[in-house]
Amino acid sequence: PPSRVRSGRLTRPGNAMAPKSDKTDWSDEHNVLTVTVLGCTGDLAKKKTYPALFALFLHEHMPPRTVVLGYARSPMTDETLRDKIRPALQGPKDKVETFLASCFFQQGEYGSDDSEENAESDPPVFGALGDRVRALEDSRGGGFRVTGHRIFYLALPPSVYPPVCANIKRACMSPTGWTRIVVEKPFGKDLQSSEELSAGISKLFTESQLYRIDHYLGKELTQNLVVMRFANRFLAPLWNRDNIANVQILFKEPFGTQGRGGYFDQYGIIRDIIQNHLLQLLCLVAMEKPCSLSPDDIRDEKLKVLRCIEPISTDNVALGQYTNGPGGEAYLDDATVPAGSKAPTFALCVLYVGNERWDGVPFIIKAGKALNEHKCEIRVQLKDVPGDLFAEQKVRGRQARNEFVVRLQPDPAIYMKMTVKEPGLGMELAQSELELLYTQKYESTPIPEAYERLILDCINGDQQHFVRRDELVAAWKIFTPLLKYIDAGGMNPELYPYGSRGPVNADKLRQKTGHVLNLTAKDITWAVDVEGD
């Protein structure tokens, strides 16, 4: 189907233009796009990458003359690959088949870091891949001399990024258009390994060619943070240390490692969730207003936040590991987990942004597996109201605090917890919500998945929602000393039952920061939300 084009550029889902684009004119029949998915037989490609590409095609956001080429070691044909990914594509059957007709497969190796193996005198490891891309570009040109634009999506372990990038550089760069590289987390295990990885890739590609995906930056409510903060005047005077008592950023999963414990054990919950996803959310909550919506202006402000955070102290960390409980078996019962592993499956970290706006405000970052619910949200808790007129209505000797909440999942929502008078003849106070529930307000509007949005950003050349190298460095500086201490056995996780709220020491640490559970005599709307976490 024809793509939605304005002034030669693709529109984002919902017809809103990206803030910045490379201005590729996709209405020009000479322009062809090839998306090569390296590691196309893996779970990531099957569950996320191909469904996102199909969603772009289905909603007419994919450029015309687009080819999707899968690459893997496994021997298979084009039709075999199509059969593998067909069940993951949700949509009308005819649309699915039309999309699959543009999907192809190329078998090959990835190479290694061995300089002898990859010597310039040897045949290129990706020689056949480069030839196939050129052939597919020519087949889409309709007899025209094509301008081939290429995206290489690395759905691969980071350990193979250096040789793969070297082989792309040698044999697969577009001679007529642009070439972009999309890489997935984790970007190393600490500052040193991350910089080694970045140094190797940066020798081959410029920063403008690299797109480091953090899929949380592609979520609808994450992208709404910038709009909410800087397009609503009533929030601006409240958003500082004078009014905000603390900020919580929570990630809770009700399931364990589900047989992937061997992979998870190499990283732990801090590397897997906190150092990247949740820290990026913290930056969007805490950053100053950027000069413009250009990608670098926004990422500059995020970087300033990271540079204001000192390396985290062990006194501000609580670790946990789930054991047997009502919801399931212990982490150590996973056959893929090394015996006696001390890898944390839960962590609560308290960070402080040492600048004028946030000095002294605790940012409580919490993530865990095998907990009591599925949730990811940001909770900004305001301070008590001074000169309380309703002292007699206090519960447990204190007020109920206002909270501004952004829930990313499940059921995306934005709401403000407010104290109101309960209907009736008395003066009983209760808490209620001013709420925007996305599933109700936008019931008939399709909300794009994160990967769909981020791949479209890559096509448009918009790096706003991708992580820059200096952001990575600053983020790893915050967590690397703690991670090395944990890896050396300096901190042991407290056990907590599968299906519980988490370890007891986490609640104690949170209380120590000044956070208070938001309990009132009555909660007239969402009784399940009374604990505020």
Side-chain angles (χ1 to χ4, degrees):
S3 296
R4 298 173 183 173
V5 178
R6 294 182 184 173
S7 302
R9 295 182 292 176
L10 290 175
T11 62
R12 293 166 60 88
N15 291 332
M17 290 301 301
K20 186 177 181 180
S21 166
D22 71 283
K23 300 183 180 178
T24 302
D25 184 0
W26 296 111
S27 64
D28 183 343
E29 294 184 354
H30 295 81
N31 284 316
V32 177
L33 174 65
T34 304
V35 180
T36 302
V37 182
L38 295 107
C40 65
T41 56
D43 281 348
L44 175 64
K46 185 170 67 174
K47 294 179 180 179
K48 297 294 184 181
T49 313
Y50 277 101
L53 290 167
F54 173 67
L56 289 174
F57 168 82
L58 182 64
H59 296 115
E60 301 179 10
H61 297 295
M62 186 72 82
R65 299 172 300 282
T66 294
V67 178
V68 181
L69 178 60
Y71 185 87
R73 292 190 180 102
S74 307
M76 67 174 73
T77 64
D78 295 340
E79 198 56 47
T80 306
L81 175 64
R82 292 165 185 163
D83 291 341
K84 283 182 175 293
I85 62 178
R86 184 179 283 108
L89 307 182
Q90 303 297 317
K93 185 177 179 180
D94 60 325
K95 299 294 186 182
V96 170
E97 295 307 319
T98 302
F99 171 75
L100 289 174
S102 297
C103 295
F104 301 91
F105 177 77
Q106 178 69 37
Q107 181 189 4
E109 296 296 320
Y110 294 113
S112 72
D113 286 320
D114 188 338
S115 59
E116 293 182 2
E117 179 181 341
N118 293 329
E120 288 296 325
S121 59
D122 294 337
V125 176
F126 281 3
L129 175 60
D131 292 341
R132 186 71 184 278
V133 170
R134 285 187 287 275
L136 289 170
E137 288 174 343
D138 291 339
S139 71
R140 285 295 193 270
F144 293 102
R145 184 175 181 178
V146 301
T147 300
H149 305 287
R150 302 176 183 179
I151 293 175
F152 291 89
Y153 193 113
L154 276 58
L156 298 165
S159 59
V160 301
Y161 286 174
V164 166
C165 287
N167 290 324
I168 291 172
K169 181 72 173 181
R170 184 179 179 194
C172 298
M173 299 294 288
S174 173
T176 55
W178 47 254
T179 301
R180 293 172 184 153
I181 312 298
V182 180
V183 295
E184 283 274 355
K185 78 168 186 73
F187 309 111
K189 297 183 69 174
D190 53 26
L191 177 59
Q192 180 180 349
S193 59
S194 175
E195 273 296 273
E196 289 173 354
L197 189 63
S198 294
I201 297 176
S202 65
K203 291 178 182 177
L204 304 167
F205 303 105
T206 65
E207 191 66 26
S208 64
Q209 293 176 301
L210 292 172
Y211 290 72
R212 300 177 186 87
I213 273 194
D214 185 325
H215 73 273
Y216 266 60
L217 291 177
K219 289 182 176 291
E220 180 68 31
L221 268 294
T222 303
Q223 300 207 338
N224 219 330
L225 281 172
V226 174
V227 178
M228 287 186 298
R229 283 204 54 202
F230 302 119
N232 294 288
R233 179 149 187 171
F234 78 95
L235 285 178
L238 298 176
W239 216 258
N240 54 57
R241 63 190 298 271
D242 297 327
N243 298 286
I244 293 176
N246 58 78
V247 178
Q248 286 194 94
I249 302 176
L250 312 172
F251 175 92
K252 303 172 74 174
E253 287 183 334
F255 48 84
T257 52
Q258 298 180 317
R260 297 181 66 249
Y263 170 82
F264 178 85
D265 200 79
Q266 300 176 51
Y267 296 96
I269 196 71
I270 296 177
R271 291 184 176 97
D272 194 42
I273 301 294
I274 294 178
Q275 183 272 337
N276 38 68
H277 300 327
L278 303 193
L279 195 60
Q280 284 292 321
L281 295 181
L282 183 154
C283 289
L284 293 173
V285 171
M287 74 180 191
E288 297 297 321
K289 187 175 183 177
C291 298
S292 74
L293 290 177
S294 76
D296 278 333
D297 283 345
I298 290 176
R299 295 191 292 183
D300 285 347
E301 295 302 331
K302 289 162 58 184
L303 178 62
K304 291 177 185 177
V305 172
L306 293 172
R307 287 178 171 172
C308 288
I309 302 174
E310 293 292 329
I312 187 168
S313 165
T314 55
D315 293 336
N316 288 328
V317 178
L319 302 179
Q321 185 185 96
Y322 66 86
T323 186
N324 292 307
E329 296 182 341
Y331 174 70
L332 294 178
D333 289 338
D334 185 329
T336 64
V337 172
S341 171
K342 299 295 184 181
T345 60
F346 174 100
L348 185 147
C349 304
V350 182
L351 306 179
Y352 292 90
V353 180
N355 62 14
E356 184 177 8
R357 180 183 294 272
W358 297 109
D359 189 33
V361 177
F363 284 77
I364 304 165
I365 315 298
K366 171 180 172 180
K369 290 183 173 291
L371 297 176
N372 59 335
E373 61 182 330
H374 175 49
K375 179 188 290 187
C376 181
E377 65 184 19
I378 301 163
R379 305 185 74 96
V380 180
Q381 187 176 81
L382 275 66
K383 294 182 177 180
D384 290 338
V385 176
D388 187 11
L389 291 175
F390 304 98
E392 294 182 0
Q393 303 296 326
K394 288 183 177 180
V395 177
R396 299 181 186 175
R398 62 170 176 78
Q399 300 173 0
R401 288 180 169 177
N402 298 132
E403 289 187 343
F404 182 75
V405 183
V406 178
R407 187 173 64 213
L408 281 69
Q409 60 188 30
D411 301 326
I414 304 165
Y415 62 95
M416 173 73 83
K417 293 184 72 72
M418 297 186 65
T419 301
V420 299
K421 175 188 173 297
E422 185 179 2
L425 297 176
M427 186 57 74
E428 294 188 29
L429 303 188
Q431 278 209 312
S432 183
E433 286 83 22
L434 298 176
E435 61 193 18
L436 167 61
L437 302 179
Y438 267 63
T439 52
Q440 294 181 13
K441 176 69 174 178
Y442 303 110
E443 184 178 4
S444 60
T445 303
I447 298 177
E449 292 292 331
Y451 280 90
E452 179 183 349
R453 190 186 307 272
L454 293 172
I455 290 173
L456 181 56
D457 282 346
C458 182
I459 294 171
N460 280 335
D462 180 5
Q463 293 185 301
Q464 174 181 335
H465 303 113
F466 295 84
V467 181
R468 205 167 58 188
R469 180 178 177 179
D470 51 4
E471 288 182 76
L472 272 180
V473 172
W476 279 119
K477 284 182 178 179
I478 295 169
F479 283 99
T480 292
L482 171 67
L483 291 168
K484 288 185 176 296
Y485 185 70
I486 294 172
D487 292 344
M491 293 184 71
N492 289 324
E494 176 187 335
L495 298 179
Y496 62 93
Y498 195 121
S500 67
R501 293 184 62 249
V504 175
N505 62 1
D507 286 334
K508 292 179 178 177
L509 176 57
R510 188 175 65 166
Q511 186 177 9
K512 179 182 173 183
T513 66
H515 177 271
V516 294
L517 295 179
N518 213 4
L519 297 174
T520 58
K522 294 184 179 179
D523 190 305
I524 63 175
T525 49
W526 294 6
V528 296
D529 193 40
V530 294
E531 289 191 0
D533 110 335

